[in-house]
């Protein structure tokens, strides 16, 4: 089979799926390990407080991964598979319009790439279910098979754009011929890296870029609040 001539990059949370994967998986992780609900509530509250205090999304992302310090890499991968099975059974997990677009790209022979601040545990089963070729997420550092709590680089904001450009260079892709889908202003770096950006939903920053710009496409956003 000939290499794909172009790629379609997809943000995940609130673009392809209707949950915040990082929070949803963290809740499952603590529950799976027998921790009381209060442990998750405290962790989520701390992360939300950092956001309200004005810390960057990248900094909050780093704090999130410190919650997994000492966890086994393989064990988290297995938890991710179980989390996905449970999440998908709950119904209404995927966002139909974005998934339909992804399937059109697959049918066209495009390289389909997921790009997310989340990590392999929840991302890999989502990618497998959708038939995506590559999942680019925040990469936790490991030592002796366990997470150190630190990451290579948060896959947030400019990190998404850099990841898309690296992959395009590795695969010999012309980004001007590629597509990208995202729902939030933090996806702007990714969206403006390609010739065919698509705003999912009504984020005002993305809407301002899309207004009057024929290069931009639009997809309807998720109309119900996330489960977590």
């Amino acid at each position: 089979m000939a290499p794909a001539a172009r790629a379609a990059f997809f943000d995940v949370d609130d673009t392809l799926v209707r949950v915040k994967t990082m929070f949803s998986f963290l809740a499952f992780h603590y529950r799976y390990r027998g921790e009381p609900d209060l442990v998750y509530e405290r962790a989520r509250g701390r992360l939300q407080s950092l956001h309200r205090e004005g810390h960057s999304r990248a900094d909050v992302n780093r704090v999130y991964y410190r919650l997994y310090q000492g966890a086994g890499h393989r064990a988290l991968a297995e938890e991710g598979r179980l989390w996905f099975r449970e999440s998908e059974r709950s119904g209404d997990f995927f966002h139909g319009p974005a998934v339909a677009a992804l399937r059109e790209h697959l049918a066209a022979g495009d390289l389909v790439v997921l790009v997310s601040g989340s990590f392999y545990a929840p991302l890999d089963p989502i990618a497998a279910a959708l038939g995506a070729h590559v999942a680019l997420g925040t990469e936790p550092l490991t030592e002796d098979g366990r997470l150190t709590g630190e990451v290579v680089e948060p896959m947030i904001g400019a990190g998404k754009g850099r990841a898309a450009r690296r992959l395009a260079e590795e695969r010999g892709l012309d980004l001007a011929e590629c597509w990208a889908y995202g729902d939030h202003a933090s996806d702007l770096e990714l969206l403006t890296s390609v010739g065919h950006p698509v705003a999912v939903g009504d984020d005002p920053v993305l809407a301002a870029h899309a207004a009057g710009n024929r290069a931009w496409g639009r997809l309807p956003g998720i109309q119900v609040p996330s489960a977590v």
Side-chain angles (χ1 to χ4, degrees):
M1 181 180 294
R6 64 182 189 181
F9 299 91
F10 286 83
D11 171 58
V12 177
D13 294 8
D14 294 329
T15 296
L16 287 169
V17 304
R18 295 173 174 269
V19 301
K20 304 290 190 187
T21 56
M22 292 168 63
F23 283 112
S24 180
F25 177 74
L26 183 63
F28 178 90
H29 169 72
Y30 283 135
R31 188 170 71 250
Y32 183 78
R33 299 192 173 208
E35 299 285 357
D37 291 345
L38 184 60
V39 174
Y40 168 69
E41 295 299 335
R42 284 175 174 168
R44 183 178 68 170
R46 181 187 177 204
L47 295 167
Q48 290 174 333
S49 293
L50 290 172
H51 177 72
R52 287 193 299 269
E53 291 165 7
H55 293 269
S56 71
R57 288 169 67 93
D59 286 344
V60 176
N61 187 270
R62 289 186 182 278
V63 173
Y64 171 84
Y65 287 103
R66 290 176 189 141
L67 298 171
Y68 296 102
Q69 184 177 9
H73 187 280
R74 289 184 180 179
L76 286 173
E78 176 59 22
E79 287 181 31
R81 289 187 284 271
L82 296 172
W83 164 83
F84 176 73
R85 194 179 308 161
E86 178 183 284
S87 299
E88 193 180 27
R89 277 201 307 262
S90 67
D92 209 27
F93 180 73
F94 288 110
H95 180 218
V99 171
L102 181 148
R103 288 174 176 157
E104 289 178 4
H105 284 289
L106 287 174
D110 297 337
L111 182 75
V112 171
V113 184
L114 307 189
V115 190
S116 174
S118 195
F119 71 125
Y120 68 90
L123 285 183
D124 285 354
I126 292 172
L130 293 175
H133 302 103
V134 181
L136 301 175
T138 300
E139 183 182 350
L141 294 172
T142 61
E143 186 174 319
D144 297 327
R146 295 188 175 276
L147 274 64
T148 66
E150 301 302 320
V151 301
V152 175
E153 176 187 21
M155 191 66 72
I156 299 288
K160 289 186 175 183
R162 286 191 291 270
R165 290 189 289 272
R166 281 196 299 268
L167 185 68
E169 185 174 355
E170 292 168 4
R171 301 293 182 105
L173 302 171
D174 180 0
L175 283 173
E177 299 298 323
C178 293
W179 297 69
Y181 298 76
D183 73 290
H184 189 269
S186 60
D187 298 319
L188 188 58
E189 187 83 17
L190 171 65
L191 294 170
T192 55
S193 295
V194 302
H196 303 283
V198 180
V200 180
D202 300 314
D203 180 271
V205 174
L206 300 188
H209 279 265
N213 190 332
R214 293 183 179 180
W216 281 69
R218 298 290 292 272
L219 281 180
I222 292 169
Q223 299 301 314
V224 296
S226 297
V228 176

